Amino acid sequence: MRYSGAISDADILINLARVNRLDILELLFKEIIIPQFVYDIEIKKNAGRYYGLINEAIHKDGSIFKIVDRKKDISINILARDIIEDKKKVIGPGES
């Protein structure tokens, strides 16, 4: 059974890239959303030599990965606003 979707942070992508197993996510999920902040800041800053593997997986044809900028997507931003405000003290910009 594949789950419809998930929102990913940098750690899981980096750790799976380290063992060359990003493909595991394709077995589990139909779509994985990567927040633009996570892609621009966390992955580029922390992935080191594994950045290329992650970037290749994100941009390949038929990829399950989708980079979403919540601030530019008005409908997602509206849906997320109340949750983010409620959790602001315990989540960072990547998670929001």
Side-chain angles (χ1 to χ4, degrees):
M1 178 181 139
R2 287 174 67 197
Y3 295 97
S4 296
I7 298 174
S8 183
D9 68 1
D11 293 335
I12 190 70
L13 297 176
I14 294 168
N15 288 327
L16 287 172
R18 281 186 179 135
V19 294
N20 200 24
R21 290 308 312 258
L22 285 165
D23 62 308
I24 288 173
L25 296 173
E26 295 175 6
L27 300 172
L28 297 172
F29 301 100
K30 294 178 184 176
E31 179 178 63
I32 295 188
I33 296 170
I34 301 170
Q36 188 72 52
F37 179 88
V38 169
Y39 180 72
D40 287 343
I41 306 299
E42 299 298 326
I43 292 174
K44 287 182 180 177
K45 180 175 99 177
N46 298 320
R49 64 183 175 156
Y50 303 106
Y51 174 75
L53 286 172
I54 296 168
N55 199 47
E56 183 180 325
I58 290 170
H59 293 98
K60 76 176 181 181
D61 286 340
S63 174
I64 63 166
F65 300 103
K66 180 179 177 186
I67 299 171
V68 174
D69 188 344
R70 179 185 58 79
K71 293 180 181 178
K72 291 182 181 176
D73 189 323
I74 300 213
S75 59
I76 290 176
N77 199 28
I78 289 169
L79 291 170
R81 191 176 303 139
D82 291 339
I83 296 166
I84 291 167
E85 286 303 315
D86 184 49
K87 306 293 182 193
K88 216 173 202 174
K89 293 180 182 175
V90 293
I91 62 173
E95 288 84 3
S96 72

